[in-house]
Amino acid sequence: MSDAIHLHRDDEASKLGMWLFIFTELLLFAGLFIVYGIYRYLNPVAFHLAAEELSVTVGTVNTIILLVSSATMAMASTAIRLKNKQLTILLLLATLFMAFMFMTNKYFEWKGKFEHGIFPGSEDLLRLGHGDTLFFGLYFFMTGLHALHIIVGFVLITIVCYRVNNNTLTNENPVLLDNSGLYWHLVDLIWIFLFPLFYLIT
Amino acid sequence: MSEHKHKSFREENGSYKGVFAWIFSTDHKRIGLLYLYAIVSFFLIGVLLGALMKLELMAPGKTVIDPATYNAIFTLHGVIMIFLVVVPGLPAVFGNFLLPIMIGAKDVAFPKLNLLSWWIYVFGAIIALSSLFMGGGPPDTGWTFYAPYAFKTNTNMLPAVLGAFILGFSSILTGINFIVTIHRLRAPGMTWFKMPLFPWTLYGTGWIQILATPIVGITLLMIVGERVLNIGFFDPALGGDPILYQHLFWIYSHPAVYIMILPAMGAISEIIPTFANKSIFGYKAIVISTLAIAFVGYFVWGHHMFTSGMSGTALYTFSLLTFLVAIPSAIKVFNWVGTLHKASIQLETPFFWAASFLFVFMIGGLSGLALGALATNVHLHDTAFVVAHFHFIVFGGVGFAFMGAIHYWFPKIWGRMYNSKLATSGWIIFFIGFCTLYLPMFFLGVTGMPRRYYDYVEKFHGPNIVSTIGSWVLILGLIIIIYNLIRSAYKGEKADKNPWGGRTLEWTVDSPPTLENFDEIPVVNRSPYDYRKNLES
């Protein structure tokens, strides 16, 4: 197939496409931010009290993990341009490790909530009242959707790592790495908004 | 240059055989045709469902189906027609086929992503249609999936909603692809204002697809969350607000109307100058009004909810904006009519479709103003008037433009001509059927017949009979059109490169085009609708 068509490569186009896609992702979450804003406005006291249930420590640790992973991802983009394959792979693996750590923290955080009877549709939550139901509904929905993005990013970076390793992704064609990096920064950016909304505003 | 050396894209199979040479092809022309076949199939299913509803409404009381089936049928008719047919419609079929050729490129910017969009589309369609056959019965909420009924009903909502979500994803990827293609792959010399109008409207559409679709995506996911996890975003019993759902839904679904109509306007803007043999009147005004529609279209969603409960300020603002968004559309109509003024018009089938487009689009647009005005809206909301208005815009506007486009570009796509007489008689029957079907609905609506009703009182009987008969005439016209096109695709006379005397780039390449469209990327140094006589072409 591809030999019939001239191999056409346009890194600018790939970047532009990725930015547009990131734009749509932001808008996807924007819908949820609107819903959050409206229900917070309608239930200020309940949202305030419910937010105190979440552990700021866990949230902060996860924020630091994601910020550092964004840094290692950006460094991988530079490393591949310096033709340092070993370092690139090391940095990508570090990013993957931190993504894993983030998910582990998330797992224990959610598990703790579940054990306290706080999960969508639970009896305990309904007894707490509308504001709490909505707060935790949004909490699970938004952090859950964000976690899904972490998993997608994880898969993407794994593919990049594999391709760097077998030399099909080098300093000649780093655009897939760059775009995965952009995606990863987006995941990071969304978390930067989720963190204060759920953990810090109490 | 030589004809025998170049195989057309239809013969060039690549490394796959048979049907796989199509469904795994990254050629934008084959993908465009894949969309065409899928969309036409779904369209015919939608038409049958619509005809069944009309048959039921021929007489008061039960005629052929029971009320629950009727609810399911109008829901499926809406879901199929909106999400599977009209939203992808012109951009996916003609956009894919023609955008690269019209801007002088060999393909879209991301051919693989393009093929992926088609696969996602098919996957979404299968998921959505699977709701027909699974346990709880087909969904019965209407295509709008309004809360709280959408998570209270026991029918198969999940597949329908997830299907719509997946289809939205396909739409977004197509939008990204087209925007990047237009930014990066225009032929040398083709500045923004030397670009033909159909690509321009695809550009506006692409932006709406990118900016609006994610909102409905997340809203539909929230409905899934409601049903599966019992979260309560829109459930008053859990503190949620069902009106909020309506806002989020229409923030997408109103701009979606412009996703449908903008490329239709683009196709009309191509057809009219070709058959008027004249440069289009007010090219820049059409471009700017395209972008204006794309922009203002975001801020009018509230006019779907005038009776749902909003503050007075919001009502006035949305009503005013609704009137404003009519202006760019009117500018376009003015420009098309201006192009026809004192032109030597070639009376061919595509032109008839374009001319009748103007007629039905005007009726649709003006009835939209009646709905956009606050006082009349209260009276007309949720009546058959809305259904008539909507079908005049979406079936009359988009459908007629689609028909015009397929007759206009048929020689280019299949390399053959169709039987012009048969095509024209198909058009006139279809057109008469269309008006007979939908005009009575305006009267029904004004006199108070609600939409989505299975039964009615005796005084609505007359117009309903007329409307039902109209649906049969329309289907007869449709059969003639489809028969003629299918037959001509195999047996029509061979078409040359430029049967209509068009000036845009697609008429400079072979019919049907070769795999790579152009032997050499053309250099563009004139405006797209330059009809001066002393041109070299």
Side-chain angles (χ1 to χ4, degrees), chain A residues 1 4-6 8 10 12-18 20-21 23-25 27-32 34-35 38-39 42-43 120-121 126 129-131 133-134 137-138 140-141 145, chain B residues 13-15 24-26 106 110 169 172-173 176 179-180 183-185 207 210-211 214-215 217-218 221-222 225 229-234 236-241 244 248 515-516:
Chain A
M1 215 50 178
I5 298 172
H6 291 306
H8 168 85
D10 183 353
E12 278 299 306
S14 306
K15 285 253 174 74
L16 182 58
M18 194 62 203
L20 289 173
F21 181 71
F23 210 23
T24 68
E25 288 275 15
L27 282 162
L28 189 79
F29 277 92
L32 287 166
I34 290 173
V35 174
I38 288 166
Y39 288 137
L42 291 174
N43 309 284
L126 292 179
H130 289 166
T133 314
L134 287 169
L138 281 165
F140 283 112
F141 199 81
L145 193 63
Chain B
N13 272 339
S15 46
F24 292 134
S25 170
T26 53
K106 297 192 170 188
F110 311 116
F169 201 57
I172 289 174
L173 293 181
I176 291 177
I179 290 181
V180 175
H183 270 280
R184 299 292 302 171
L185 294 180
W207 276 108
I210 289 180
L211 293 174
I215 307 284
I218 197 66
L221 276 190
M222 281 190 246
L229 304 170
N230 199 16
I231 285 179
F233 291 130
F234 309 121
L238 296 175
D241 184 356
L244 184 59
L248 290 171
L515 181 65
E516 298 212 322

Side-chain angles (χ1 to χ4, degrees), chain B residues 205-401:
Chain B
T205 308
W207 276 108
I208 310 176
Q209 283 173 315
I210 289 180
L211 293 174
T213 318
I215 307 284
V216 81
I218 197 66
T219 311
L220 295 176
L221 276 190
M222 281 190 246
I223 288 282
V224 173
E226 299 271 358
R227 280 187 77 91
V228 179
L229 304 170
N230 199 16
I231 285 179
F233 291 130
F234 309 121
D235 186 355
L238 296 175
D241 184 356
I243 307 273
L244 184 59
Y245 172 81
Q246 295 187 19
H247 278 290
L248 290 171
F249 181 81
W250 289 114
I251 286 176
Y252 163 75
S253 296
H254 193 78
V257 179
Y258 300 109
I259 295 179
M260 308 170 195
I261 197 73
L262 277 181
M265 291 168 157
I268 296 298
S269 306
E270 296 297 331
I271 294 171
I272 285 189
T274 300
F275 292 94
N277 281 311
K278 204 169 153 224
S279 176
I280 194 147
F281 179 76
Y283 168 87
K284 277 194 182 166
I286 295 185
V287 170
I288 290 164
S289 63
T290 299
L291 300 178
I293 289 175
F295 181 72
V296 184
Y298 282 106
F299 305 105
V300 300
W301 78 85
H303 67 213
H304 295 270
M305 305 164 54
F306 282 158
T307 58
S308 299
M310 267 191 289
S311 73
T313 322
L315 290 177
Y316 292 128
T317 314
F318 279 124
S319 182
L320 178 70
L321 287 167
T322 304
F323 278 90
L324 287 182
V325 82
I327 296 173
S329 302
I331 289 176
K332 282 193 161 69
V333 172
F334 178 75
N335 282 311
W336 293 322
V337 176
T339 308
L340 294 174
H341 180 64
K342 288 194 174 173
S344 55
I345 296 169
Q346 223 181 319
L347 288 176
E348 293 282 353
T349 317
F351 177 77
F352 292 132
W353 283 108
S356 51
F357 167 92
L358 291 182
F359 180 77
V360 292
F361 184 69
M362 287 293 288
I363 296 178
L366 291 172
S367 60
L369 293 181
L371 289 166
L374 292 171
T376 42
N377 181 277
V378 175
H379 179 66
L380 296 172
H381 185 84
D382 255 350
T383 66
F385 190 92
V386 177
V387 183
H389 157 72
F390 183 77
H391 283 84
F392 261 89
I393 292 288
V394 171
F395 195 15
V398 184
F400 277 45

Side-chain angles (χ1 to χ4, degrees), chain B residues 14 24 116 149 249 292 390 401 465 496 505:
Chain B
F24 292 134
L116 180 69
Y149 186 58
F249 181 81
F390 183 77
I465 292 180
D496 61 10
L505 283 175

Side-chain angles (χ1 to χ4, degrees), chain A residues 109-126:
Chain A
E109 199 186 9
W110 276 34
K111 193 168 167 244
K113 287 281 162 295
F114 280 30
E115 278 165 1
H116 285 89
I118 297 177
F119 52 88
S122 74
E123 295 289 319
D124 291 353
L125 201 52
L126 292 179

